[in-house]
Amino acid sequence: MGKREKGGFWVGAAAAAFYPMTWLGKRTYVGGEKLPRTGAALLVMNHVSHLDPPNDAVFVHRNKRVPRFMAKDSLFKVPIFGRILKGSGGIPVYRGSSEAKDSLRAAHDALKEGKVVVIYPEGTISKDPTGWPMRARTGVARLALENDVPVLPAARWGTNDIWDGYTKKFRPLPRKHVRTVVGDPVDLSAYRGKPITNQVLREVTDLLMTQVRDLLAEIREEQPPAEFFRPGAKRDETAS
């Protein structure tokens, strides 16, 4: 199985806080062996609940790696939680400010240092009424193309049944089933070496999120929508 990646005091503190939170649900993990035991990787996931980060952190940690989360900068200001997040290597994401580029720079640095970076490309909990992924931001594509590391799509479902961030409903009982599935590394060879244009970034972002969406469909055993949800826009169910 290999040795566990060392994380230090704050990673231990995160583990002490997050492992009990995952006991709220019955967990099933599929594909954890696809996460590299050493070296960098970019883990691309959907986002449906405020419980996602603890669940996903425990998943990565159980596979002997230390996750570096890209999270909204406001979370780093939350008492205790923010200190744990920062101390364990979290990457603050700034938007609409001169610091916005620093978010990607820090993620690039983490990948170059051989870390596992976890990203929710939607940027927030999905606003799709049925929980399918929204149209994602293109920062994930830039990270994927500018770093020659495994890019792994993953989906998780069930945390939203415990804690729905938009309805504010917390329903721990009866215990819900939380399922996480990791897919194979996405082949981006057709894009590597090309100029990184806005069109390429959009294509790669949609490619990655399609993989995530398909894994989510596998978990839910449902047919996914043909297009990604865009708040304020009417979905065309016939679109490809």
Side-chain angles (χ1 to χ4, degrees), residues 104-159:
L104 283 183
R105 187 177 300 117
H108 283 297
D109 290 344
L111 291 172
K112 286 180 173 59
E113 293 168 4
K115 310 301 184 183
V116 173
V117 173
V118 182
I119 184 171
Y120 302 134
E122 297 163 88
T124 187
I125 294 171
S126 177
K127 293 180 171 61
D128 184 319
T130 54
W132 293 101
M134 298 188 296
R135 189 171 191 258
R137 300 169 184 271
T138 60
V140 64
R142 190 171 291 279
L143 285 174
L145 292 174
E146 294 185 4
N147 297 277
D148 189 13
V149 304
V151 180
L152 297 166
R156 161 251 317 105
W157 186 250
T159 49

Side-chain angles (χ1 to χ4, degrees), residues 156-239:
R156 161 251 317 105
W157 186 250
T159 49
N160 49 309
D161 292 328
I162 302 171
W163 185 2
D164 189 313
Y166 287 113
T167 65
K168 309 301 181 184
K169 290 182 179 179
F170 181 61
R171 297 167 291 190
L173 296 174
R175 291 181 74 203
K176 313 301 191 298
H177 200 159
V178 179
R179 298 174 174 86
T180 303
V181 176
V182 180
D184 294 325
V186 180
D187 182 3
L188 297 175
S189 57
Y191 295 95
R192 296 197 183 281
K194 287 186 175 182
I196 300 180
T197 63
N198 289 337
Q199 179 180 347
V200 166
L201 290 173
R202 174 46 55 193
E203 287 181 7
V204 171
T205 298
D206 289 346
L207 170 63
L208 296 175
M209 290 307 294
T210 296
Q211 297 279 338
V212 172
R213 182 196 63 190
D214 291 348
L215 290 171
L216 181 58
E218 177 184 323
I219 296 173
R220 295 175 60 169
E221 298 183 341
E222 298 176 19
Q223 183 68 29
E227 61 177 2
F228 295 111
F229 181 76
R230 299 178 69 173
K234 185 178 179 180
R235 170 176 280 158
D236 178 5
E237 298 295 346
T238 65

Side-chain angles (χ1 to χ4, degrees), residues 20-91:
M21 294 177 70
T22 65
W23 299 340
L24 292 170
K26 303 173 184 178
R27 294 169 293 164
T28 297
Y29 299 137
V30 177
E33 72 281 357
K34 296 175 183 177
L35 194 68
R37 293 300 179 259
T38 60
L42 182 62
L43 190 61
V44 183
M45 304 194 71
N46 66 316
H47 197 8
V48 293
S49 169
H50 294 302
L51 287 177
D52 292 344
N55 179 83
D56 302 338
V58 168
F59 165 71
V60 174
H61 192 256
R62 284 171 65 92
N63 284 284
K64 303 184 183 298
R65 298 303 307 271
V66 175
R68 268 68 180 187
F69 280 86
M70 296 186 69
K72 291 186 292 187
D73 65 298
S74 58
L75 294 178
F76 287 77
K77 302 174 184 177
V78 177
I80 302 177
F81 177 78
R83 188 66 190 90
I84 292 176
L85 187 60
K86 181 179 180 180
S88 60
I91 302 168

